[in-house]
Amino acid sequence: MGPPAHPPPPGGPVDEGGPVSEVSDVFDYMKGYLLFQSSTENSTTKSKWVKVHVHAADDTLTIDARDVEEEGQDYSLSSCILRKLSATEEEQQGRNYMFSVESVMRKTTLTFAAENQIELNKWLKFLAKGCVRTYMPSGDTKTEVPNRRGSISKMRITTQHQPDIVVDPVGVGDDEWNDRYQKAMLMNEETLENSVQKGLTISSLVGSFLSAATNISQKIVYEYALPDEMQSVKKLDLTDDNGNKSSEELFYHQGMLFRLSQQPVQEHDIDPSDERRRTLAVGDTIQHKVAGHELRCIRWAQQAATAVFRSQMEMTNGTPYPVCTPMSCITDISGFRFFILAVPPVDDEMTLSYGRLSPVSPFVMNDEELREQLKLICRMMNLKVHEIDVGNGETERIPAGCDFQAHNCADNRGYLMNLGKAAPPDLPLPETNQILTNQLRPEFIQGYNKPLSSDSFRVEIQHMDDSIHNDEECVDASVHLRTHTIPQFVAALDALAITPNDSASFTKAMHQRGINMRYLGYIYDMTSLPHIKSLVLAEAAARTAKHVLNQAARSLSRKAKVEMHQAKERGKSRDENFLEHNEKLRNSLSTRLIDFLNLILGMSDESDAFWERMMLPLLDSKYSLNLELPKRRYVAVHMPQLLHSISFHCSVTVADKVDFDFSSRDPISSQDVKSFDSKVKWEPNDQVEAFSIAEKGEEFLEIGEYARGLQALNLELSMHTATFGFAADQSRTASIMNNIAFAHYKCEQYKQSVEVANKVLSAVPASSMLAAEANSVLMKSFFKLKEHDASAKAFNLAKKSSTWAVGNSHPFLLEILSSLADLFYEEKDYESATMYCQRALAQAKKVLGSKHSVVAHLSSKIGILLATRGDAKTAIVTLKGAIDLFEKYAGNEDMSLNQAAMFFSLAEVEAQGGKMEDAMQLAIKALRVRVQLRSKGHQDVIESYIQVARIFENMEHIEDAVTNYEKALNSLKKIKGDEKSARMVQLLTRKVLSLEVRNQTLSMKTFLQTKMLDHPALIPGSQASHELQSYVLKLLYITSPSEYLKQLLEYVSAVNGDESGLPQLPSDQGFTGVPPTPAAQLACLASLAKEAENNKAATEDMAKKKEEILAQTSGGGGEMSDLF
């Protein structure tokens, strides 16, 4: 029940001394007067403060005020974030007792100020029950705003109206992590608002889990070498079935299970032999890989289970049996890797319903419902049903791998466990561990054209009847990856269809296509572009460096652990001695890190030996990169790029400067290394609608749906901040914000674009590609705001950052030069546009080669610019050169469309020069390609039909002109709800009628242009004239204008005309008057034809202006910079 009626807000101020707010225990509502102001995502200033009446009930917040825009609007609290403003924010506003309610869906922030602390507490307590999230700052600091954990965030990156999503980990009990996560995963998604709420709930909970898991992992690592009794988080004392002590290092703390993925410590690790070092290196690598596979396959299975659950919900009225995976993550800290999961209610022998507990245990299948669910899930994962030996000489066909486990637990959920071997192996060599380490990626398996067996190449099932066939299919998949998927990816890289700028974007691009990083050598050998080779080399070297550094860090910790254990046994050391020794270990790790960076990046005899004996052999064995580098490595390797890659992969923060001397022995000093942080890995389930929407943000930008892209990116930022806001590395956050800034720019929200880009620059290294991208957006936005000095400064900064970060061979410089050409073109400064285009062309030839498709694109742009400036002769030569370049890419659909755009543009230039025959040949070529490769209603096809029609018209081939105009007209009529298309329908209709009148005999033309225009039904302003036009225009929209005119002419020319043969307006067209006579209809058509003759605007709209040709050269509209 809602609140009782409240009085209207009085005209004067509220009595300052009286009670302001009222809470009802009976009706569950709250009402009262508050000071109020609002701001939206697109606003640059906040509204004024006003006194308003506010009431909240039934999950709805309503504001009543006559002088604010929000009057009468309701806000659903279930999609709102409640936040008490900090003391610092109150001080900035000059008010006390403030809180805000942010609508996630509307991107609107409502800020309120209560009269006193009592009133504030009432509102906060009441609203917190309905809002999706509540943020309460801890402490009362005037200088820093605490983050959600109560500690000061190292780097805070949020847009002005992004919510601070908060779940305090202290509020989650040790046994609640799993239950709360599984409940969140089953939240409904009936509406978009529900979906957003679900996404934010999951993100906040996972963020708390990741933060707690990271903190506990750091504690375990920091105390790893200390005696057991001095450790805060103690290792579980486990035994096997035979009573033997387990060597597996497992920890349990706060409802989380931590598995340390490395070989156990032995006494002789204080001074290991070479054989022991090799054993440790191989064993640790295998366990690291297995942990990564486990996390990846858990997400894969969870996505499939979510998709199955949703489809069953849609098909049935009841709730299907939920099959879940545990919430899990990986943390990497100082060389240690932990696989961490929120412990589900699994009791191996009691809950196992599918699978087996060990390789020698019997295979259990005692729950038919769970088994059927698993079949559907594995089918969704594209895994193949295959035979296994279930014991006692019996075989069974199973959908999942023989290591899969499914547990039917007391919480009425099924749990999938032990998923590390779910993905089939990728051509494992015999007598190696590659069946454990080299798996196909789920993204590749999901998109492959046939299901694959998880148990391919497993020795224990080689005697099964289908094992050879399953292995062969897996081999075919691996061959497909090498011969199709990777070459296609490299072709896209070489064509600049994909332009990764750093390790994060390059890794993401490979993984999205299901390509493992071990294929970096394949990419290096296949690519023809220097910047791709440079990126691959930096990526492989950084990953190799991470491997070596982590192994060295673990060796130091193992040695210290053995030393302290021996000291403990001697009984002569006290706790403070152990703590002192442990502190020396931490300092030693920091020193080793700096020495290691100098070995990688510096120039010395030790560095030469390190590369020769360690780095190059590992690059070959791990990534098939067989390289011979010169002694001066900084000549062949772009060292700043390598430094950025090492910083990303090893979680090392270095000084933000560009004067490192990589030709020296020690380019990195102790002052240059700012931190050696932890890294946490978790990927969202994109079958949850909110995550699916967020994932499409960049895709929306690529296809030109910028408003939708902006909404998706804002949602992604909110959820990502909720999940990873605690982490030191905020590069992904900055990347999302760069995309948001770009989306604002494309939506012509230039001030917002500048605001977001500046926030990125305040949080990332000035020498990074993230800074270069932010400055690129600033360059364009400032240009649009007419702040040309600021635009020029941003251009120079973008160029400086990119040159340092990725070198001169990267196409980023082409992008910003092309963007400037577009900007000057839009300003009609064709001279400057040509200059920047020519600079971009020179750079393209230098780094891409003279026959690259981008060279063809830029040549065509220059040709059009030359034509626009009146140099038709040079323009024609340039455009023909571009067409010849596109011939190289015959068979490529995109390139064929670009070539068609060149034909189109060259036809325009030839037509403007009066060479109609040449223009017609080119226009026909463009039309044929576009009709073949585009849909009939595509804008390119419509424009080509209009171009051909105009040329025919200029050649006085009226019938051919009418035919092509009407083909364009028919396509335009099918486009609904587009104002521009509707206007073109009107113009083309009049044009066709005008041409048909021109094509009549002299007597008929005179008749139509004189007597018919005097028809009484055409008297302006009369009811008859209005009804006539309404009838005729409706009929023209559903018939051919030329046929309509011809039929009316035949009727009026006949002695005894038959009206039944004339077009009739259907009854469903909404015409209620008396149908006009044929003569009146003919008069109306003649009038419309006359309008086309007299209306110069129509002619100008039909003829392509020279300035508009530029947009055609990219094969369907768009900016030059869209090529990148």
Side-chain angles (χ1 to χ4, degrees):
M1 178 181 291
H6 56 77
V14 178
D15 181 6
E16 295 291 325
V20 177
S21 303
E22 173 189 340
V23 183
S24 168
D25 296 328
V26 179
F27 296 108
D28 191 24
Y29 71 87
M30 180 129 184
K31 66 178 182 178
Y33 290 97
L34 293 168
L35 286 173
F36 164 79
Q37 71 169 195
S38 72
S39 63
T40 62
E41 181 185 60
N42 296 331
S43 67
T44 56
T45 59
K46 291 182 178 291
S47 60
K48 63 180 181 179
W49 285 95
V50 293
K51 186 85 72 172
V52 297
H53 191 278
V54 183
H55 61 96
D58 295 334
D59 188 41
T60 301
L61 180 73
T62 303
I63 299 171
D64 276 303
R66 299 180 185 131
D67 53 350
V68 293
E69 294 179 358
E70 280 71 20
E71 178 181 0
Q73 288 198 20
D74 295 335
Y75 292 83
S76 173
L77 292 175
S78 62
S79 64
C80 289
I81 312 299
L82 174 65
R83 189 167 75 91
K84 180 185 180 299
L85 271 64
S86 67
T88 300
E89 292 170 305
E90 289 180 344
E91 188 176 85
Q92 292 170 351
Q93 295 277 4
R95 295 187 181 277
N96 296 320
Y97 318 119
M98 295 178 64
F99 67 97
S100 68
V101 178
E102 178 173 357
S103 171
V104 176
M105 297 302 299
R106 298 186 189 178
K107 299 297 178 188
T108 301
T109 300
L110 313 174
T111 304
F112 301 93
E115 293 288 340
N116 52 52
Q117 187 66 47
I118 295 175
E119 299 298 326
L120 174 65
N121 292 340
K122 286 182 182 179
W123 279 103
L124 291 176
K125 182 178 179 181
F126 184 86
L127 294 175
K129 295 186 295 182
C131 288
V132 62
R133 288 292 173 269
T134 301
Y135 172 65
M136 301 294 173
S138 60
D140 191 23
T141 174
K142 294 290 182 180
T143 58
E144 296 171 309
V145 180
N147 70 358
R148 62 184 184 181
R149 304 291 179 259
S151 60
I152 304 304
S153 176
K154 293 181 182 178
M155 178 163 51
R156 192 70 173 173
I157 308 179
T158 55
T159 59
Q160 183 177 353
H161 305 293
Q162 289 303 317
D164 291 309
I165 310 298
V166 181
V167 171
D168 186 354
V170 178
V172 183
D174 290 359
D175 59 348
E176 291 183 335
W177 286 113
N178 177 73
D179 187 58
R180 288 181 63 170
Y181 178 69
Q182 304 304 342
K183 286 179 179 177
M185 290 298 299
L186 294 178
M187 290 173 65
N188 81 75
E189 299 174 297
E190 294 177 359
T191 67
L192 182 58
E193 206 161 303
N194 293 148
S195 299
V196 171
Q197 180 181 348
K198 178 176 180 177
L200 292 171
T201 301
I202 294 172
S203 299
S204 297
L205 182 63
V206 171
S208 298
F209 173 78
L210 298 182
S211 177
T214 301
N215 291 334
I216 296 167
S217 300
Q218 290 171 337
K219 177 67 72 175
I220 294 173
V221 171
Y222 183 80
E223 299 175 346
Y224 182 74
L226 293 173
D228 293 348
E229 59 269 22
M230 294 184 66
Q231 295 175 353
S232 305
V233 183
K234 294 178 171 45
K235 186 177 75 170
L236 295 176
D237 190 11
L238 303 174
T239 58
D240 59 22
D241 294 337
N242 299 320
N244 298 318
K245 189 172 182 180
S246 173
S247 62
E248 191 173 17
E249 295 184 277
L250 293 173
F251 304 81
Y252 177 81
H253 195 68
Q254 292 185 8
M256 305 177 199
L257 187 67
F258 296 76
R259 185 178 73 212
L260 185 53
S261 302
Q262 65 180 39
Q263 295 291 295
V265 176
Q266 298 181 4
E267 285 295 321
H268 48 267
D269 284 343
I270 194 168
D271 185 20
S273 64
D274 290 342
E275 181 62 28
R276 174 61 177 168
R277 291 179 190 276
R278 283 192 291 270
T279 300
L280 288 173
V282 173
D284 289 354
T285 298
I286 291 173
Q287 293 207 36
H288 277 218
K289 288 282 189 182
V290 169
H293 296 331
E294 181 85 13
L295 183 68
R296 194 155 44 246
C297 291
I298 282 177
R299 178 185 180 237
W300 183 25
Q302 185 188 59
Q303 290 172 324
T306 304
V308 169
F309 184 84
R310 180 186 292 116
S311 65
Q312 291 176 333
M313 285 284 288
E314 294 171 352
M315 292 187 295
T316 61
N317 293 326
T319 300
Y321 181 68
V323 178
C324 316
T325 58
M327 178 165 57
S328 53
C329 69
I330 282 176
T331 56
D332 289 311
I333 301 166
S334 300
F336 289 76
R337 168 165 284 192
F338 292 90
F339 176 80
I340 307 161
L341 57 82
V343 178
V346 169
D347 184 345
D348 286 348
E349 295 182 357
M350 299 295 295
T351 59
L352 183 67
S353 297
Y354 181 96
R356 53 185 161 205
L357 298 176
S358 71
V360 297
S361 302
F363 199 93
V364 175
M365 287 185 292
N366 59 21
D367 189 318
E368 189 61 30
E369 182 181 12
L370 186 56
R371 182 181 180 182
E372 290 303 312
Q373 288 287 83
L374 190 57
K375 282 183 180 179
L376 295 173
I377 291 169
C378 289
R379 186 182 304 164
M380 191 71 69
M381 295 169 72
N382 203 26
L383 294 178
K384 183 181 181 181
V385 176
H386 58 283
E387 291 183 350
I388 66 163
D389 186 347
V390 295
N392 300 322
E394 297 181 1
T395 63
E396 185 73 37
R397 290 179 62 78
I398 64 170
C402 60
D403 293 305
F404 265 50
Q405 293 178 5
H407 294 259
N408 192 346
C409 296
D411 60 356
N412 295 318
R413 302 184 186 108
Y415 287 88
L416 301 181
M417 305 289 290
N418 207 33
L419 302 174
K421 299 177 184 176
D426 180 16
L427 284 183
L429 294 175
E431 301 180 1
T432 68
N433 294 305
Q434 289 182 358
I435 196 169
L436 298 175
T437 59
N438 290 14
Q439 291 186 356
L440 296 169
R441 288 192 65 86
E443 300 92 339
F444 173 78
I445 300 167
Q446 200 77 47
Y448 189 57
N449 58 15
K450 63 176 67 174
L452 301 173
S453 168
S454 291
D455 292 329
S456 298
F457 302 104
R458 294 288 290 269
V459 174
E460 55 267 41
I461 63 168
Q462 281 186 352
H463 60 285
M464 295 291 102
D465 292 340
D466 61 351
S467 66
I468 294 177
H469 182 63
N470 292 339
D471 292 351
E472 289 174 345
E473 288 183 332
C474 201
V475 168
D476 292 341
S478 294
V479 171
H480 183 86
L481 174 64
R482 289 164 169 80
T483 58
H484 289 83
T485 305
I486 296 175
Q488 288 172 0
F489 175 66
V490 174
L493 289 171
D494 284 358
L496 302 189
I498 308 170
T499 53
N501 291 331
D502 51 24
S503 288
S505 56
F506 189 45
T507 301
K508 180 180 178 182
M510 288 184 66
H511 287 172
Q512 282 179 335
R513 290 156 181 82
I515 302 173
N516 309 83
M517 301 310 295
R518 61 178 169 270
Y519 289 109
L520 284 170
Y522 279 67
I523 296 171
Y524 186 91
D525 292 337
M526 289 182 188
T527 185
S528 61
L529 298 184
H531 80 277
I532 299 298
K533 289 185 179 292
S534 177
L535 184 60
V536 169
L537 181 54
E539 183 67 14
R543 287 174 174 271
T544 302
K546 178 181 71 171
H547 169 79
V548 177
L549 176 62
N550 287 344
Q551 190 65 36
R554 289 192 297 272
S555 296
L556 282 175
S557 296
R558 284 188 172 109
K559 179 181 178 181
K561 187 173 182 68
V562 175
E563 289 174 341
M564 292 197 204
H565 176 71
Q566 293 175 349
K568 183 68 177 177
E569 288 189 336
R570 289 193 294 267
K572 297 182 179 180
S573 299
R574 295 178 296 182
D575 286 356
E576 53 265 32
N577 300 130
F578 291 119
L579 292 173
E580 181 181 355
H581 192 72
N582 196 51
E583 191 61 32
K584 288 181 179 179
L585 168 63
R586 313 322 301 175
N587 294 333
S588 176
L589 286 171
S590 299
T591 303
R592 287 291 184 93
L593 171 62
I594 297 168
D595 293 342
F596 177 78
L597 291 175
N598 285 319
L599 275 178
I600 293 284
L601 300 168
M603 293 299 303
S604 65
D605 292 341
E606 294 89 343
S607 182
D608 293 342
F610 178 75
W611 273 88
E612 186 69 27
R613 298 172 189 171
M614 182 71 75
M615 289 295 292
L616 292 179
L618 282 173
L619 285 170
D620 190 13
S621 63
K622 291 172 71 68
Y623 302 109
S624 301
L625 264 173
N626 190 358
L627 301 171
E628 291 184 9
L629 296 179
K631 186 173 182 180
R632 293 188 300 170
R633 284 177 297 280
Y634 57 86
V635 176
V637 181
H638 188 63
M639 288 300 179
Q641 189 173 34
L642 177 56
L643 176 59
H644 280 300
S645 295
I646 291 174
S647 177
F648 173 77
H649 286 295
C650 299
S651 300
V652 177
T653 305
V654 297
D656 182 17
K657 64 180 189 179
V658 294
D659 59 352
F660 294 105
D661 183 6
F662 295 110
S663 64
S664 68
R665 175 188 178 90
D666 299 317
I668 309 296
S669 68
S670 58
Q671 290 77 27
D672 292 330
V673 177
K674 302 303 181 183
S675 66
F676 185 19
D677 298 305
S678 58
K679 202 176 188 75
V680 61
K681 294 182 179 180
W682 177 85
E683 291 289 334
N685 176 358
D686 61 14
Q687 289 298 314
V688 174
E689 187 176 4
F691 293 118
S692 177
I693 293 171
E695 193 178 58
K696 294 176 181 176
E698 293 182 38
E699 179 184 328
F700 286 141
L701 298 186
E702 289 173 1
I703 62 177
E705 296 188 17
Y706 302 116
R708 293 181 68 189
L710 184 57
Q711 293 174 350
L713 289 166
N714 275 315
L715 176 60
E716 181 183 13
L717 181 61
S718 295
M719 295 192 296
H720 182 83
T721 304
T723 307
F724 294 102
F726 69 92
D729 180 14
Q730 292 291 308
S731 57
R732 178 57 190 158
T733 307
S735 178
I736 297 170
M737 291 182 65
N738 268 335
N739 286 330
I740 290 174
F742 177 72
H744 276 304
Y745 167 75
K746 299 300 288 188
C747 292
E748 300 182 2
Q749 299 166 0
Y750 305 123
K751 290 184 179 180
Q752 292 90 328
S753 177
V754 168
E755 179 184 358
V756 176
N758 276 326
K759 287 184 178 180
V760 174
L761 290 175
S762 68
V764 301
S767 58
S768 66
M769 281 305 297
L770 289 169
E773 291 165 357
N775 274 310
S776 173
V777 176
L778 283 177
M779 175 195 76
K780 293 183 278 192
S781 297
F782 279 133
F783 195 100
K784 289 291 188 179
L785 292 169
K786 309 297 183 185
E787 298 181 30
H788 295 300
D789 289 342
S791 179
K793 180 180 178 182
F795 168 78
N796 289 324
L797 289 173
K799 180 181 177 182
K800 179 180 178 181
S801 297
S802 65
T803 301
W804 166 259
V806 293
N808 290 317
S809 64
H810 198 279
F812 182 80
L813 181 57
L814 300 180
E815 181 179 353
I816 56 178
L817 288 170
S818 299
S819 297
L820 275 175
D822 287 330
L823 291 167
F824 279 112
Y825 171 80
E826 292 168 7
E827 293 277 306
K828 301 190 184 303
D829 185 350
Y830 303 127
E831 183 178 355
S832 297
T834 304
M835 179 190 70
Y836 281 106
C837 245
Q838 289 172 336
R839 285 180 61 182
L841 179 60
Q843 180 72 5
K845 289 180 177 179
K846 177 181 176 182
V847 302
L848 304 176
S850 59
K851 295 184 178 180
H852 196 276
S853 60
V854 171
V855 173
H857 281 294
L858 292 169
S859 297
S860 65
K861 296 286 187 182
I862 293 172
I864 298 305
L865 282 166
L866 291 170
T868 305
R869 297 173 63 188
D871 189 355
K873 184 177 179 180
T874 310
I876 290 172
V877 173
T878 306
L879 287 171
K880 286 182 177 179
I883 290 173
D884 292 340
L885 285 174
F886 280 121
E887 284 289 349
K888 174 187 173 184
Y889 301 93
N892 181 295
E893 184 173 309
D894 289 336
M895 293 300 105
S896 295
L897 288 169
N898 281 309
Q899 188 180 44
M902 294 305 97
F903 288 137
F904 182 97
S905 300
L906 190 53
E908 290 291 325
V909 178
E910 295 282 23
Q912 290 166 11
K915 298 180 179 179
M916 295 301 169
E917 293 290 346
D918 293 342
M920 179 57 72
Q921 291 181 17
L922 293 163
I924 292 295
K925 286 182 179 180
L927 178 60
R928 285 174 179 167
V929 173
R930 288 174 165 179
V931 168
Q932 180 183 355
L933 299 178
R934 296 288 201 195
S935 62
K936 290 184 179 179
H938 194 279
Q939 191 66 29
D940 287 355
V941 176
I942 293 171
E943 289 176 341
S944 273
Y945 275 128
I946 293 174
Q947 183 187 55
V948 170
R950 281 193 291 104
I951 297 173
F952 272 129
E953 181 183 352
N954 289 331
M955 296 171 70
E956 292 299 324
H957 295 178
I958 302 302
E959 291 184 4
D960 292 328
V962 168
T963 299
N964 284 280
Y965 277 134
E966 290 206 319
K967 286 180 179 179
L969 186 57
N970 291 336
S971 295
L972 285 166
K973 287 178 178 179
K974 296 176 183 177
I975 302 174
K976 306 297 183 183
D978 182 69
E979 184 178 341
K980 184 179 178 181
S981 297
R983 184 163 181 263
M984 285 301 297
V985 167
Q986 296 175 17
L987 295 172
L988 283 176
T989 299
R990 287 165 169 78
K991 169 60 74 173
V992 169
L993 292 172
S994 173
L995 290 176
E996 283 292 346
V997 170
R998 278 174 54 188
N999 207 33
Q1000 299 299 316
T1001 62
L1002 181 60
S1003 59
M1004 180 58 72
K1005 188 188 305 184
T1006 302
F1007 171 71
L1008 290 171
Q1009 293 178 343
T1010 55
K1011 293 188 177 180
M1012 289 306 297
L1013 296 179
D1014 294 329
H1015 195 283
L1018 296 180
I1019 298 174
S1022 66
Q1023 181 66 23
S1025 174
H1026 174 75
E1027 291 183 357
L1028 172 62
Q1029 280 213 347
S1030 175
Y1031 183 89
V1032 170
L1033 290 175
K1034 288 177 182 290
L1035 198 51
L1036 280 170
Y1037 203 84
I1038 61 174
T1039 60
S1040 161
S1042 61
E1043 289 301 315
Y1044 185 17
L1045 179 62
K1046 288 176 183 177
Q1047 289 174 345
L1048 286 172
L1049 288 173
E1050 289 175 1
Y1051 173 81
V1052 298
S1053 299
V1055 177
N1056 296 309
D1058 182 9
E1059 289 191 36
S1060 62
L1062 295 176
Q1064 301 293 322
L1065 190 65
S1067 58
D1068 62 356
Q1069 293 297 309
F1071 184 79
T1072 56
V1074 178
T1077 65
Q1081 294 178 47
L1082 184 59
C1084 187
L1085 294 184
S1087 173
L1088 293 173
K1090 187 67 175 177
E1091 286 180 19
E1093 290 291 332
N1094 296 335
N1095 188 357
K1096 292 183 179 180
T1099 305
E1100 290 172 359
D1101 255 45
M1102 298 305 306
K1104 277 285 176 185
K1105 297 178 183 178
K1106 287 191 287 186
E1107 304 90 67
E1108 294 176 351
I1109 301 172
L1110 187 60
Q1112 293 298 314
T1113 58
S1114 61
E1119 293 184 1
M1120 208 177 319
S1121 51
D1122 290 340
L1123 302 176
F1124 301 91

